[in-house]
Amino acid sequence: MTTVDARGLACPLPLTLARRKMGELEDGDVLVVLATDPEAPIDLAAWAADEGHAFAEREAGGWAELTLTKGGRTSMEQ
């Protein structure tokens, strides 16, 4: 599992960082993005759907924990 800490960063930076890191991962690898920007879950969910990655969102301590599985086309609802 790889983590990108984008807390305190405004969009589009959480998405930009996630895209860059996801490019380094293999199919099936998990990327967790920590974000405080309220737009980040919306942007990352849309991007994940477009790219065929699984996406799940969880609130954690005042920020969102966004989990993406590369190439995982099914939703990982939590």
Side-chain angles (χ1 to χ4, degrees):
M1 177 172 65
T2 302
T3 301
V4 170
D5 189 348
R7 290 175 290 187
L9 301 177
C11 282
L13 289 176
L15 175 59
T16 301
L17 294 174
R19 290 176 90 166
R20 184 176 300 150
K21 188 56 72 173
M22 190 65 90
E24 301 171 8
L25 302 179
E26 302 292 328
D27 282 350
D29 287 349
V30 175
L31 176 65
V32 176
V33 180
L34 308 177
T36 51
D37 188 309
E39 297 297 316
I42 298 165
D43 292 346
L44 285 167
W47 171 71
D50 287 347
E51 295 294 318
H53 307 310
F55 174 84
E57 177 182 356
R58 182 175 79 86
E59 290 299 316
W63 63 84
E65 183 178 288
L66 311 169
T67 303
L68 299 100
T69 303
K70 185 168 185 175
R73 294 191 182 272
T74 59
S75 177
M76 301 183 319
E77 297 295 328
Q78 292 184 358

